[in-house]
Amino acid sequence: MKSKQIKIALRNCGHIDPEDIADYISKDGYAALGKCLSGSREKVVEIMKMSGLRGRGGGGFPTGKKWELAAAVPGEKKYVICNADEGDPGAFMDRSVLEGDPHSVLEAMAVCGYAIGADEGYIYIRAEYPLAIKRLKIAMAQAREAGLLGKNILGTGFNFDIGLKYGAGAFVCGEETALIKSMEGNRGEPVMKPPYPAQKGYMGKPTNVNNVETFANIPAIINNGSEWFSSIGTEGSKGTKVFALAGKVKNVGLVEVPMGTSLRELIYDIGGGILNGKKFKAAQTGGPSGGCLTMKHLDTPIDYECLKQAGSMMGSGGLIVMDEDDCMVAVAQFYLDFTVEESCGKCVPCREGNKVLYQILNKITHGKGEVEDLKKLKDFSEVIKSASLCGLGQTSPNPVLSTLNNFYDEYLEHVTEKKCRSKHCRALIKYIIIPEKCVGCGACKRACPAEAISGEVKKVHLIDQEKCIKCGACYQKCKFNSIIIE
Amino acid sequence: MKAIKSIGDLKTLTEKLKIKSSADKKKVQICIAMATCSIASGSGKVMEFFKEEMPKQPFEFMIRSTGCMGLCHSEPTVEVTLPDSDPVVFGKVDVKRARSIIEDYIKTGKTIDGVIEGN
Amino acid sequence: MACQIKENEIKEKVTEICSEFKNDPNDLIAILHKTQNHFGFLPKEVQAAIAETVKVPQAKVYGIVTFYSYFTMEPRGKHPISICMGTACYVKGAEKVLKEFESKLEIKNGQTTPDGKFSMNTLRCIGACGLAPVIMIGEKVYGGVKQEDVSKIIKEYE
């Protein structure tokens, strides 16, 4: 999996002991902080701007510009926040960085604190990551002991310390204003922007929020230079991106590739291709906020702009590979199920609109959809996108629009022919016994919980479609491959 | 670790640690991934095994617990670097394969199953 | 269901936990985590005690407990089972694993067995997608879980 990879954010993962600060220092750990503290704050901001680094949490906002905005706001008290909420299902990049190289994040937060004029930082980490929390606590204690966090860091007079704040299982808290609300002991309900956190964030003070992977890049950028970093990647997307390759691909795991690497290289060269010899169907990027890339996108270079043009988005880096057995209508329904549950409920378009989308998709996958439903899905999606309060609602219809656009035929089959070509949607499939293959052993009849199968010993059996509950027990039991799914 | 009082002191410490790292390259180095995926796949038992068996061997070694190597499809993973050699990563390591790593790969240089190519 | 925990035990523990955080309402989430770790759940009596100690309306505490999926007002089982329903696990058959747990334990998602041994809920991504489908029992992670593994896993805790 390694040959096409360039490890920047993951440079130390798998090579150092994350519970030993000496290991981190031996790899030039905290040298970047030392370098920054020897120069001006403005210089640090300049390096970040020149590097071209963009937020790796999904938004892709230029990091240098973000720091510049926070630095320019007057104020004695400012904060640095690391967004370690990583709520995208299928994403584990941040978990790996925090478990494998926690000091890189601590160092980067201190660099940020120096650049913007903050003396306090917090890592908002999801409660589902107990090992990452443990390793962060160890790293923070060791950094304090070594005088690399706390007062008068490296004798320069710069003070900066970091605390932990915990999430409690709310995807919406990955949105920066909801995250801040949660840090203040509230429900994670987003607020209107502007004002942006840089102007008025945590406790009403100027706050810079960056993602774990964004921070993990920073020590390497400071040590190797902005020119080095901007020489990697594409015109609009510099550096590398960590992807969590998961789903129906052979080599599931974490990869870090230069921006501009194609989907084909990711899935086939690095990922080893599709499991069990099946056919590639789609790759979902951006999680519940993203869309799917299909066969026609295999040679699309992966960067912020190209993915947007293809109807998806970079997101945090989760890349779920799907094959011919995955029903794209059911996938859209899966994402809407997630969104409906995770919506904070504050604004009507998201709270009510997504429920409607889910209900329509549920109808379709249960064989009760109509052609008019497809237009409703599109229309509702457009309204939700344009009228929702925050990024969660504004992007929640993306999986619907993307699958409708790329797999319209599948949707049409579901509503007009009541057929699911992937044989996934239970209401649209039939279990049928092939008379020529049935030996009349009766195993299927005995397994059937609905008494839907009739037949005598050594005679062809028959499934009563009216009684069949489509549980698949007969299909599992048959040793003669005489039951097919249609 | 004692408090590092200046940027100069940090540079000195870094150099010292790099020299030690270089010296460690003469030892057999064993890195065992201990991330969430690794532990869920049984890397804890593998770590215990190496910690118990390596002190019995007639060569200098160091064992390091690391984070994720990104090879979730082959956890537990163990990277072995023999003196003056490139690192080799083994996947799906259980106690049986760990024993073979010591007895066959480390002691006699024999090629064994489980090597993850491209690493 | 009436809260089985004694009133003075609630008051004592809540006072102790809140004072660790200097009774700061900004730390409500951390306070609720620690309190739930101790009592196993957050019934309204415990919520009321927290609200009184940090001096916020009880409705605010209730609003937080019901917002975040980690917090529960119902007692969890001795061995809480969390089944990941993130995308990678969904695509690798997590729904079948969930159905098998429901069938073997004779409870539905969100419920606790009558003997208090097991409770079940779904999680949205543990972040171990490389091992999909993934479940957690307590803090122990099980990867690559298939339908046929469920009985064996349950037996480990009997």
Side-chain angles (χ1 to χ4, degrees), chain C:
Chain C
M1 184 177 127
C3 177
Q4 307 285 349
I5 317 168
K6 291 202 185 77
E7 200 185 313
N8 59 338
E9 195 193 329
I10 294 176
K11 198 171 163 66
E12 204 178 293
K13 198 65 194 171
V14 163
T15 306
E16 183 193 313
I17 292 174
C18 291
S19 68
E20 276 177 45
F21 296 94
K22 300 185 174 58
N23 294 350
D24 187 349
N26 282 327
D27 283 315
L28 261 172
I29 310 264
I31 289 168
L32 286 165
H33 268 302
K34 205 150 188 182
T35 313
Q36 181 166 287
N37 282 345
H38 178 80
F39 290 116
F41 65 124
L42 294 164
K44 62 180 190 323
E45 291 81 358
V46 169
Q47 292 179 37
I50 293 173
E52 198 187 321
T53 312
V54 303
K55 297 192 185 358
V56 296
Q58 194 174 338
K60 174 165 177 161
V61 179
Y62 179 75
I64 294 171
V65 168
T66 49
F67 182 86
Y68 293 96
S69 64
Y70 241 68
F71 300 134
T72 176
M73 289 178 62
E74 295 296 324
R76 289 233 171 101
K78 185 166 173 219
H79 308 293
I81 302 170
S82 300
I83 299 167
C84 183
M85 293 297 279
T87 324
C89 291
Y90 166 78
V91 145
K92 294 294 267 292
E95 278 184 319
K96 289 197 176 113
V97 172
L98 171 66
K99 291 252 170 321
E100 189 67 14
F101 267 106
E102 285 182 335
S103 158
K104 286 279 177 299
L105 293 174
E106 293 176 357
I107 53 171
K108 290 271 171 229
N109 179 25
Q111 293 179 338
T112 305
T113 52
D115 61 5
K117 212 166 191 174
F118 296 103
S119 58
M120 204 160 63
N121 73 310
T122 51
L123 266 187
R124 294 291 188 172
C125 205
I126 294 164
C129 318
L131 302 180
V134 171
I135 69 160
M136 281 176 81
I137 302 191
E139 283 198 1
K140 187 174 176 192
V141 177
Y142 293 81
V145 179
K146 295 189 268 303
Q147 241 175 312
E148 42 275 32
D149 299 328
V150 171
S151 296
K152 197 173 66 184
I153 292 173
I154 293 172
K155 262 203 170 64
E156 278 180 44
Y157 296 88
E158 273 166 1

Side-chain angles (χ1 to χ4, degrees), chain A residues 108 266-267 367 390 461:
Chain A
L266 259 179
I267 293 176
C390 80
H461 281 45

Side-chain angles (χ1 to χ4, degrees), chain A residues 1-2 7 13-18 21-23 25-26 28 30 34 38 92 95 99-100 131 135 145-146 154-155 250-254, chain B residues 1-7 10 13-14 17-18 21 31 34-37 39 64-73 79 117-119:
Chain A
M1 275 173 93
K2 188 177 175 183
K7 305 240 177 148
C13 290
H15 303 296
I16 65 166
D17 182 347
I21 191 174
D23 246 14
I25 293 176
S26 75
D28 292 313
Y30 292 99
S38 313
F92 53 100
R95 173 181 66 69
E99 287 177 359
L131 183 58
R135 293 211 170 137
E145 196 183 54
L154 295 172
K250 284 186 187 150
N251 298 336
V252 289
L254 222 53
Chain B
M1 177 174 285
K2 259 177 23 204
I4 307 166
K5 297 245 161 61
S6 68
I7 297 171
L10 175 63
L13 175 62
T14 305
L17 289 168
K18 282 188 172 173
S21 239
C31 289
M34 295 289 280
T36 296
C37 288
I39 294 168
R64 190 187 264 122
S65 158
T66 71
C68 180
M69 294 183 198
L71 304 168
C72 311
H73 55 90
E79 181 188 78
E117 298 296 340
N119 284 276

Side-chain angles (χ1 to χ4, degrees), chain A residues 401-420:
Chain A
L401 289 171
S402 174
T403 51
L404 258 179
N405 189 34
N406 288 298
F407 298 97
Y408 191 73
D409 286 350
E410 263 190 63
Y411 275 87
L412 213 50
E413 274 171 16
H414 276 69
V415 301
T416 56
E417 296 173 53
K418 307 297 182 216
K419 177 179 154 188
C420 173

Side-chain angles (χ1 to χ4, degrees), chain A residues 104 130 158 224 230 255 401 430:
Chain A
S104 68
F158 172 59
N224 296 302
S230 62
V255 303
L401 289 171
K430 283 185 201 167

Side-chain angles (χ1 to χ4, degrees), chain A residues 145-159:
Chain A
E145 196 183 54
L148 293 160
L149 279 180
K151 298 236 180 294
N152 192 23
I153 293 173
L154 295 172
T156 60
F158 172 59
N159 306 329

